[in-house]
Each structure stands twice: as C-alpha cells, then as structure tokens.
Amino acid sequence: MFESLETTLDKPQENKIERLRQKTRIIVMLGARFFQKGEGNEFPPRFPLVLESKKQGMPKEVVGGDVRMRAIEQLYEEFQSSEENQDTRLRIFTTGGTEEIDIPETGETLKISRAKQAENKLEVKYGLPADIVETLPSGGSTIGNAKALAEWLENNKEEVGQIDEIEIITNEFHISRAWLMFAMALYKNETGHDLTLTEDERREIHTVL
C-alpha cells in the first residue's frame, strides 16, 4: 500500500535545495477540545479525555488533549537527556480550531483558540520552553493542520533540512487517518502534484478508516 508515495519521496527531486540531514525535530500536536467554566476565572482550561459532543447523534466524544500534552512532555524530557540531540533543534507545533464556550450569566459566547490554549498549557503546566512551542494557524481540521505544516516546512527549508520524520501526537484511533493526511500533504509539497491512488488502494484506505 502507498508504494507510489514511498518510491517518489525516496528519489531526489529536481530544483530542490540539497539537504543532507534533518536538522530540526518536528512534533505536531493535533487539536483537541477543552473545557473551561466561567469567564475570567484565571484557571487553565482542562483538555479531558472525554467531552460532550457537539456532533449530531453523538452524546460523547474522545478528545484527549491532556494525554497528548503528557506525551509531548515525555518526548521533550527524553530529547533533553540524549546526547545524540546536541546538534538538533526541537520544534513543537500546536494546532486546532476555535472552542465556543457559552456564558449563561451574560449570554455571551467566548471564542478561544484551542491551539493557543494548548501552547500556553505546555509552557505553564508542563514546563516546555516558549522558544520551542509554537501555535500553527491551521483551522480545526486534520487536513488543514497537514497543509499548514507542509507550507511551514516549505518556507523553512534551511532550518529544517531534509525531512526524514514528522511526529504526530493524537489519539490512537485517529493516527491512521492523520498519517494519511499528513503523508499526502507532504507528498504534494515535495512533488507539486496530488498523489494518484489506484482503486484497490482507495478501497483499502476506506476499509482502514
């Protein structure tokens, strides 16, 4: 499956800057919904494992933001403790759309960036340095996250170097779908055109997802 993707990315592309190695480790936390009571209560938002769903016919949904942040905290600690990473920079991107929170007392609806709140929490609660955590403006969809990262990589070739690996932090049930979307976005960024899939590959993807 995806032989065409793997084969094309392995080949050197014309009109590309020669990049000998990946100089920056890239970790992307996909967006997660959060919960925050009241307005101006000064408490950081909670990113629970399960939250009431806003999707029709679905009472609850798994969101898991704090779990993702704990995973990033562990990866950061491992990165810091490894001597192999002395010549490698670490960049962590947070993504996500807008969380709408109703305030019954005033009738207002707060609109707060999930990506920005995740960035703040990684820095304040989990102790990550502000210079390695960055909000990636990308809307609320996984494909939007993937396209935004591909564009950032294209604009920062000299800093990143050759792309060998991108780490995506999300829930296990979502990882196959996320991998596919990021792989296709990076493929298009590298080759300039969409990945062509056979009917058998399309059916296999439909079965997996």
Side-chain angles (χ1 to χ4, degrees), residues 136-138 143-153:
L136 184 67
S138 53
I143 190 62
N145 301 161
K147 289 179 177 179
L149 180 67
E151 291 174 3
W152 186 92
L153 293 172

Side-chain angles (χ1 to χ4, degrees), residues 36-41 101-105 110 112:
Q36 186 172 31
K37 284 187 176 181
E39 181 178 6
N41 57 20
I101 301 175
D102 296 328
I103 310 298
E105 294 81 2
L110 293 179
I112 305 175

Side-chain angles (χ1 to χ4, degrees), residues 73-109:
E73 178 189 34
Q74 182 177 348
L75 290 173
Y76 170 69
E77 292 174 350
E78 292 172 353
F79 179 87
Q80 288 293 97
S81 63
S82 175
E83 295 182 358
E84 296 179 0
N85 297 320
Q86 290 182 351
D87 297 326
T88 302
R89 182 177 181 180
L90 176 64
R91 272 192 176 271
I92 297 169
F93 292 100
T94 59
T95 65
T98 301
E99 190 72 31
E100 296 186 356
I101 301 175
D102 296 328
I103 310 298
E105 294 81 2
T106 63
E108 297 177 277
T109 299

Side-chain angles (χ1 to χ4, degrees), residues 33 46-51 61-67 70 171:
R33 292 185 58 205
R46 290 178 52 230
F47 288 77
L49 179 62
V50 178
L51 195 61
E61 62 179 306
V62 177
V63 289
D66 274 326
V67 174
R70 286 195 291 273
N171 298 87

Side-chain angles (χ1 to χ4, degrees), residues 11-194:
K11 295 178 180 178
Q13 300 296 314
E14 294 181 359
N15 302 322
K16 296 289 182 180
I17 297 175
E18 183 179 357
R19 296 163 287 173
L20 300 180
R21 68 179 184 88
Q22 182 165 335
K23 298 180 287 187
T24 301
R25 182 176 175 182
I26 304 292
I27 298 176
V28 184
M29 175 184 156
L30 298 191
R33 292 185 58 205
F34 63 84
F35 175 79
Q36 186 172 31
K37 284 187 176 181
E39 181 178 6
N41 57 20
E42 299 182 357
F43 288 104
R46 290 178 52 230
F47 288 77
L49 179 62
V50 178
L51 195 61
E52 290 185 5
S53 178
K54 294 185 178 181
K55 299 175 183 177
Q56 187 174 4
M58 184 185 296
K60 300 283 185 180
E61 62 179 306
V62 177
V63 289
D66 274 326
V67 174
R68 301 175 194 181
M69 286 185 235
R70 286 195 291 273
I72 290 176
E73 178 189 34
Q74 182 177 348
L75 290 173
Y76 170 69
E77 292 174 350
E78 292 172 353
F79 179 87
Q80 288 293 97
S81 63
S82 175
E83 295 182 358
E84 296 179 0
N85 297 320
Q86 290 182 351
D87 297 326
T88 302
R89 182 177 181 180
L90 176 64
R91 272 192 176 271
I92 297 169
F93 292 100
T94 59
T95 65
T98 301
E99 190 72 31
E100 296 186 356
I101 301 175
D102 296 328
I103 310 298
E105 294 81 2
T106 63
E108 297 177 277
T109 299
L110 293 179
K111 295 184 178 182
I112 305 175
S113 166
R114 297 171 185 165
K116 190 63 181 176
Q117 290 296 321
E119 177 189 350
N120 291 342
K121 193 163 186 178
L122 281 169
E123 295 169 3
V124 174
K125 180 175 180 178
Y126 293 98
L128 273 67
D131 62 342
I132 69 168
V133 185
E134 181 178 344
T135 295
L136 184 67
S138 53
S141 69
T142 304
I143 190 62
N145 301 161
K147 289 179 177 179
L149 180 67
E151 291 174 3
W152 186 92
L153 293 172
E154 180 68 20
N155 294 329
N156 293 272
K157 294 177 183 177
E158 293 296 335
E159 175 187 336
V160 178
Q162 178 174 308
I163 301 300
D164 296 319
E165 182 178 65
I166 301 291
E167 296 167 75
I168 303 171
I169 308 298
T170 187
N171 298 87
E172 185 176 1
F173 70 87
H174 184 241
I175 196 64
S176 295
R177 178 174 178 271
W179 180 89
L180 176 64
M181 292 185 176
F182 273 80
M184 295 184 75
L186 293 172
Y187 175 90
K188 184 173 183 177
N189 187 65
E190 185 75 15
T191 66
H193 56 80
D194 291 318

